[in-house]
Amino acid sequence: MAKKYVYLFSEGNASMRNLLGGKGANLAEMTNLGLPVPQGFTVTTEACTKYYEDGKKISDDIVEEIYKNMAILEQINNKKFGDKKNPLLVSVRSGARVSMPGMMDTILNLGLNDDTVVGLAEATNNERFAYDSYRRFIQMFSDVVMGIDKNKFEAILDAVKEENGAKYDTDLTAENLKEVVKRYKELYKQEMGVEFPQDPKVQLLEAVKAVFRSWDNPRAIVYRRLNDIPSDWGTAVNVQTMVFGNMGNDSGTGVAFTRNPATGEKALFGEFLMNAQGEDVVAGIRTPQPISTLKDIMPEVYNQFTEIANKLENHYRDMQDIEFTIERSKLYMLQTRNGKRTAQAALKVAIDLVNEGLIDEKEAVLRVDPKQLDQLLHPMFDAEALKAAKPIAKGLPASPGAAAGKVYFTADDAVEAAKGRGEKVVLVRMETSPEDIEGMVVAQGILTGRGGMTSHAAVVARGMGTCCVAGCSAALIDENEKVMKIGDVIVKEGDYISIDGSTGNVYLGEIKTVPPSLTGNFATLMGWADRYRKLKVKANADIPRDAKVAVNFGAEGIGLCRTEHMFFAEDRIPAMREMIVSKTEEQRRNALNKLLPMQRSDFEGLFEAMGEHPVTIRLLDPPLHEFLPHEDEDIKALANEMGMAFEDLKATVESLKEFNPMLGFRGCRLAVKYPEIAEMQTRAIIEAAINVSNKLGINIEPQIMIPLIGDIKEMKYVKEIIVKAADEVLKEKNANLKYQVGTMIEVPRAALTADEIAKEAEFFSFGTNDLTQLTFAFSRDDAGKFLESYYDKKIYDFDPFAKLDQNGVGKLVEMGTKLGRQTRPDLSVGICGEHGGDPSSIEFCHKAGLDYVSCSPYRVPIARLAAAQAAIKDEK
Ligand code: PEP
Ligand code: MG
């Protein structure tokens, strides 16, 4: 049987999300639940994939299926597509597996042309409405399908408004709108060289193709990469009978959440506009009314709506984000989906749903997106500093958190300031649109002059966890002149402002921020997560301050202390340099002796911060040239400082030069050539451990880790140096402290021979940063130059340094773990590359049977939650 590419809503259900997309699956489910859904059909995500496989063409059999289903829609509605008297009109919308708000395109009122518009006017007895619908359709079709700049249409609309003294779109008469339609069609012809297409079937196919194409528009691609959405999922297309919110004052359209998406509070929350269509609410053009006022305007519709909202929430057992339209006092449901929410709301909703008996603890743990927790770990305004500050304006508290930064008025300027000059940025826009996505990503905060809580800026900022104040109408924003006026205050590009996404307040200047509190719902949910996870979570931390942050966030140890970071400090680097330029072992030992007490006190600080939690300290790793200057001028200055001849120092610098430092004289190779470095570091570690054990009356068992091992003999050689040095200290101090010597697995050869290496190594820690670059054969510092092209050409979907390449690098991790445990069944295995804080990579580590992940302190809570989710999913 031929594959089916088109499903009527009545043929699907909620479980068919991968095939029908989220929107299509939920429209089908609502149809099954007997809710008032305008009927339609879904062209599947597989049709989208096929469209791309076929070289951006819709195959004839799919076209035929679409027409066949169109005929069924005609029967259901008792209307005819393209009929002059009784025309059927449809909307065409995208809908991927997961919702990508505003990223792809929508076309409404499709099926209108010069004839059907007359029929629609007669059938509805409402000429104004018919032409209003037609002008919207022409604009949407021209913009979305043909790529004609929508501003050109806006300019015509504004001109006609001005000519007729109309303040709002709703003030335009039928005659005015006919004029708009006339000018729109002229513009279309001028731009495209042909008349606006009058054949509804042509309109429909072109629209379907446009939705398929929109899967690959630049903003969708950026959104996918930010949200780990693979490019081969494709989008479905939903073709749905139109209902009209713009039929007069007994019609309207709105969006509502069953709970507050900013706070999680259990109360219907949303906005609507009377006499408006689809995108008017979210586009932020007119400011909508709160949903509660619908109670006064249309009590019956309001009651029906709240009933349906309850039913949907209970059915999906989650907070719903619902779109509806009222056509001549009759309510229609256009969409429902699990609502996007802030992290704060996500925690509250998940915990409330458990208390309400709708879900259990494990389900609650699965409900919170680990990456989103980041929002809660970000600073808030310092209470004292805030007392002294006076808001200059107030907008809507659209996405919580606090931000202070320099004002930029365009996304491009914001990107340049943030990425180019490392500035903290607040993006200020009249309203945002999907094209602004990159500017929004780099911004500390977003401020808009127009639009409500469901405007583009608000929805996207909440998803990203970026603080946002929306609809700040007191701010007169001039994006062209790059200036904003609030009362008497003038804010120019580059001036500092501070915004509070929890209150909506806007302040002039930079207000100090403080770390967040980690109690309440956060603590409850993290407690549940800890109950179910199997992986331990440690932190990568080099100094006591970071170690304390990590413990505060729940770290169970330090998985990686990069000792070299300590050597770059101003008071240490002279001794480090002295060590590097030494000509003899004796000189080197002298210099190392100066470093010893500093290292020892560093380690004491770490051990004190961590108590009996395990601490893994890695021996020196980077190539030595990193500690020396490279320019003649700087070399001269340093030579002077060190009392050396310039030529001498220059010669040392030259001798340390490498063609590829990543593959050069670094890692354990340093210890092989200069064993005294490893000796000194070992001594510092063991002495510190003894001192702190004695001081605190605890048993510290340090773990000494060797970097970049690739061969068992290398491992054996360096381990012997460490053991000898450690035992010497223990004997001197008459102490019997236990310690372990292990290795990083970050060279492919180490993973391949892990059974041999485990004979000597007492623990493994996968250094997936190096393992990734050595497996892919590109360095992490250079990959940025070409990765963009790899994304554009769909060779890679994501950055392999951020998200573990499971098929390649992951195989080495699995193999290394398995081989290592063959030799040493109780071998402790962890990961300390950047991937240790990435949820999908953590899930992989859980499956591969690792003991722990180690990540930067701020990602510890994310890792705890991701580890719990991996365990719960595994159980299921
Ligand atoms: C690694 O390679 O994954 C690692 C943690 O070490 P570094 O990033 O310091 O090279
Ligand atoms: Mg490394």
Side-chain angles (χ1 to χ4, degrees):
M1 213 175 80
K3 194 172 211 166
K4 189 170 160 66
Y5 285 105
V6 182
Y7 288 75
L8 286 169
F9 292 166
S10 53
E11 292 175 313
N13 65 56
S15 73
M16 294 163 76
R17 165 179 285 271
N18 291 358
L19 187 64
L20 303 179
K23 193 180 289 165
N26 287 335
L27 282 165
E29 189 78 3
M30 286 201 290
T31 299
N32 297 339
L33 288 171
L35 300 182
V37 175
Q39 286 303 290
F41 56 84
T42 304
V43 186
T44 63
T45 53
E46 287 177 352
C48 178
T49 316
K50 187 161 170 16
Y51 166 82
Y52 282 102
E53 280 168 6
D54 292 349
K56 301 200 182 172
K57 274 207 211 75
I58 303 193
S59 60
D60 291 346
D61 49 332
I62 296 181
V63 171
E64 210 168 289
E65 255 189 282
I66 291 175
Y67 289 158
K68 224 171 70 196
N69 281 277
M70 220 36 221
I72 301 176
L73 267 200
E74 290 179 334
Q75 276 173 12
I76 293 175
N77 290 292
N78 199 19
K79 288 181 179 175
K80 259 191 126 42
F81 199 40
D83 192 83
K84 286 182 190 171
K85 290 239 158 62
N86 188 20
L88 174 65
L89 304 183
V90 293
S91 67
V92 178
R93 292 163 179 245
S94 61
R97 275 192 218 185
V98 293
S99 77
M100 297 167 58
M103 292 300 136
M104 288 181 292
D105 297 323
T106 291
I107 300 153
L108 304 178
N109 311 335
L110 189 139
L112 279 174
N113 58 26
D114 293 351
D115 293 331
T116 54
V117 71
V118 178
L120 182 67
E122 280 168 11
T124 56
N125 199 13
N126 192 338
E127 196 175 35
R128 188 200 173 280
F129 151 73
Y131 282 90
D132 185 45
S133 304
Y134 193 22
R135 64 100 187 163
R136 288 168 190 267
F137 170 56
I138 297 172
Q139 175 175 340
M140 274 185 270
F141 187 90
S142 304
D143 166 25
V144 171
V145 181
M146 297 300 167
I148 306 174
D149 184 358
K150 62 171 176 265
N151 289 319
K152 294 184 176 167
F153 291 93
E154 293 295 338
I156 293 176
L157 188 67
D158 286 344
V160 175
K161 278 203 288 202
E162 201 176 312
E163 286 161 24
N164 295 285
K167 186 166 177 223
Y168 295 110
D169 301 359
T170 42
D171 298 334
L172 291 169
T173 64
E175 288 311 311
N176 300 154
L177 288 163
K178 278 184 192 169
E179 178 61 24
V180 173
V181 165
K182 185 169 147 260
R183 294 194 204 174
Y184 274 15
K185 287 198 318 195
E186 283 165 8
L187 173 63
Y188 185 93
K189 180 148 190 216
Q190 201 180 316
E191 293 279 327
M192 302 304 299
V194 291
E195 297 290 344
F196 185 78
Q198 294 288 312
D199 180 350
K201 283 189 169 175
V202 171
Q203 296 173 351
L204 178 62
L205 283 193
E206 289 303 320
V208 170
K209 282 193 270 181
V211 171
F212 285 160
R213 280 200 306 272
S214 74
W215 174 251
D216 252 355
N217 73 32
R219 58 184 199 251
I221 292 174
V222 170
Y223 188 90
R224 281 207 292 276
R225 208 175 322 133
L226 281 174
N227 292 282
D228 283 347
I229 302 171
S231 62
D232 59 10
W233 278 5
T235 179
V237 185
N238 298 291
V239 177
Q240 188 173 22
T241 309
M242 281 299 306
V243 284
F244 296 95
N246 56 335
M247 264 200 192
N249 288 331
D250 57 355
S251 301
T253 184
V255 182
F257 292 83
T258 53
R259 300 179 191 228
N260 185 317
T263 63
E265 187 202 347
K266 190 178 179 183
L268 201 58
F269 179 91
E271 294 158 333
F272 71 100
L273 271 175
M274 293 311 280
N275 200 10
Q277 191 170 46
E279 309 305 291
D280 293 354
V281 179
V282 280
I285 294 161
R286 272 156 62 197
T287 296
Q289 288 175 271
I291 191 89
S292 55
T293 59
L294 185 62
K295 198 174 357 187
D296 309 322
I297 303 176
M298 292 187 164
E300 271 171 34
V301 170
Y302 180 79
N303 285 342
Q304 189 194 357
F305 182 73
T306 49
E307 236 168 70
I308 290 176
N310 272 335
K311 186 167 179 176
L312 285 172
E313 189 178 272
N314 286 331
H315 182 71
Y316 286 100
R317 297 178 302 119
D318 200 357
M319 182 247 267
Q320 295 298 295
D321 166 1
I322 302 169
E323 271 181 35
F324 63 94
T325 282
I326 305 163
E327 181 185 285
R328 292 185 167 156
S329 306
K330 181 162 165 35
L331 177 66
Y332 291 96
M333 309 306 291
L334 297 189
Q335 163 163 326
T336 191
R337 59 186 173 195
N338 294 338
K340 295 234 179 282
R341 60 205 81 176
T342 63
Q344 191 194 341
L347 291 174
K348 179 161 168 56
V349 169
I351 291 168
D352 285 354
L353 289 175
V354 172
N355 293 335
E356 291 162 27
L358 281 171
I359 60 173
D360 63 13
E361 274 177 29
K362 287 183 185 172
E363 186 61 37
V365 167
L366 290 175
R367 287 288 175 87
V368 179
D369 175 6
K371 282 191 174 165
Q372 228 194 350
L373 285 182
D374 208 26
Q375 293 175 23
L376 300 172
L377 312 176
H378 282 303
M380 305 300 287
F381 285 134
D382 173 77
E384 280 308 304
L386 199 59
K387 264 187 211 158
K390 244 203 152 101
I392 53 171
K394 193 176 173 82
L396 300 170
S399 180
K406 290 186 180 177
V407 167
Y408 287 93
F409 292 95
T410 70
D412 286 345
D413 289 342
V415 170
E416 199 178 301
K419 287 206 171 149
R421 302 192 290 278
E423 292 178 1
K424 284 187 175 177
V425 165
V426 175
L427 178 66
V428 177
R429 301 281 290 158
M430 206 49 220
E431 63 206 357
T432 62
S433 71
E435 284 90 61
D436 292 328
I437 181 88
E438 292 198 71
M440 298 171 80
V441 169
V442 300
Q444 240 64 38
I446 298 159
L447 172 67
T448 66
R450 263 204 302 247
M453 292 292 281
T454 50
S455 64
H456 177 266
V459 172
V460 174
R462 279 200 295 274
M464 298 191 308
T466 302
C467 148
C468 175
V469 173
C472 181
S473 51
L476 305 176
I477 298 166
D478 188 333
E479 289 165 0
N480 295 324
E481 293 298 315
K482 303 191 174 177
V483 60
M484 160 170 77
K485 234 177 120 182
I486 300 178
D488 298 337
V489 184
I490 305 233
V491 182
K492 294 194 292 295
E493 183 183 76
D495 290 350
Y496 270 101
I497 62 168
S498 301
I499 59 175
D500 188 334
S502 309
T503 60
N505 283 336
V506 179
Y507 305 86
L508 195 62
E510 190 183 12
I511 301 176
K512 193 177 145 203
T513 53
V514 290
S517 115
L518 302 173
T519 53
N521 289 338
F522 177 84
T524 305
L525 195 98
M526 292 313 287
W528 293 347
D530 290 343
R531 208 175 284 169
Y532 300 111
R533 72 184 155 93
K534 302 272 184 329
L535 281 169
K536 286 201 178 316
V537 177
K538 301 186 190 180
N540 294 353
D542 311 323
I543 54 173
R545 188 196 64 211
D546 293 352
K548 279 179 202 144
V549 172
V551 171
N552 216 5
F553 283 150
E556 297 164 286
I558 289 180
L560 173 64
C561 162
R562 291 174 164 106
T563 50
E564 60 269 19
H565 288 173
M566 303 166 169
F567 293 130
F568 283 104
E570 217 174 315
D571 55 335
R572 288 128 201 249
I573 197 146
M576 186 65 188
R577 287 171 169 164
E578 201 182 313
M579 192 276 289
I580 294 171
V581 302
S582 297
K583 296 244 159 43
T584 65
E585 185 183 324
E586 197 191 339
Q587 284 173 349
R588 216 166 12 254
R589 282 190 184 278
N590 273 339
L592 284 165
N593 277 339
K594 293 185 193 164
L595 287 169
L596 174 66
M598 303 181 201
Q599 281 256 283
R600 188 173 51 225
S601 78
D602 290 334
F603 297 144
E604 284 170 355
L606 271 191
F607 287 134
E608 281 193 37
M610 297 307 292
E612 277 184 331
H613 287 307
V615 175
T616 307
I617 298 173
R618 179 180 73 185
L619 302 185
L620 190 65
D621 183 20
L624 298 179
H625 73 87
E626 285 191 10
F627 299 93
L628 293 177
H630 297 98
E631 304 295 330
D632 274 0
E633 216 172 290
D634 302 327
I635 297 174
K636 239 174 239 160
L638 181 62
N640 253 341
E641 224 173 86
M642 294 180 75
M644 276 177 83
F646 164 72
E647 289 72 25
D648 237 17
L649 185 57
K650 171 96 179 162
T652 308
V653 170
E654 286 296 320
S655 74
L656 289 173
K657 230 185 206 161
E658 294 186 289
F659 286 107
N660 188 339
M662 287 297 135
L663 301 176
F665 181 35
R666 56 168 290 219
C668 58
R669 296 156 201 168
L670 297 168
V672 171
K673 185 156 173 183
Y674 301 131
E676 49 280 10
I677 301 178
E679 271 173 39
M680 181 281 286
Q681 292 200 290
T682 302
R683 176 169 280 275
I685 294 167
I686 301 294
E687 286 181 355
I690 294 172
N691 292 348
V692 177
S693 288
N694 289 343
K695 181 173 164 193
L696 302 183
I698 56 175
N699 288 314
I700 292 171
E701 187 176 335
Q703 302 185 316
I704 303 174
M705 182 156 75
I706 309 170
L708 220 71
I709 286 288
D711 191 295
I712 173 66
K713 289 199 204 115
E714 226 175 6
M715 175 76 212
K716 213 168 160 171
Y717 177 79
V718 181
K719 186 180 168 186
E720 264 165 28
I721 298 167
I722 295 169
V723 169
K724 186 159 162 269
D727 291 350
E728 224 168 76
V729 179
L730 293 177
K731 209 158 136 209
E732 274 168 35
K733 306 252 173 193
N734 200 11
N736 64 358
L737 167 136
K738 285 203 197 120
Y739 65 92
Q740 288 184 5
V741 182
T743 181
M744 300 197 59
I745 304 286
E746 48 188 348
V747 173
R749 196 179 186 287
L752 296 168
T753 60
D755 48 346
E756 293 176 16
I757 289 180
K759 285 182 194 147
E760 293 296 334
E762 292 171 280
F763 61 86
F764 281 0
S765 177
F766 283 95
T768 44
N769 301 335
D770 271 308
L771 194 57
T772 297
Q773 67 184 355
L774 295 172
T775 302
F776 277 87
F778 49 63
S779 91
R780 50 187 130 161
D781 303 317
D782 299 320
K785 290 181 200 143
F786 54 80
L787 276 183
E788 280 299 326
S789 308
Y790 274 65
Y791 303 142
D792 290 347
K793 300 187 177 153
K794 299 228 190 96
I795 298 173
Y796 297 159
D797 275 343
F798 56 84
D799 176 355
F801 290 109
K803 189 172 152 174
L804 191 75
D805 159 45
Q806 300 185 6
N807 293 342
V809 179
K811 271 209 189 101
L812 288 169
V813 172
E814 284 168 337
M815 180 190 298
T817 306
K818 199 165 142 228
L819 289 177
R821 291 212 179 115
Q822 260 171 31
T823 303
R824 202 185 276 265
D826 61 347
L827 183 76
S828 153
V829 181
I831 177 176
C832 64
E834 276 306 297
H835 308 93
D838 169 65
S840 72
S841 311
I842 292 170
E843 187 175 347
F844 175 84
C845 292
H846 169 88
K847 287 198 192 124
L850 266 56
D851 297 294
Y852 70 88
V853 297
S854 187
C855 56
S856 68
Y858 275 90
R859 286 162 97 186
V860 165
I862 298 170
R864 284 161 69 197
L865 183 55
Q869 293 186 347
I872 294 168
K873 280 189 214 162
D874 205 17
E875 223 176 76
K876 281 186 169 175

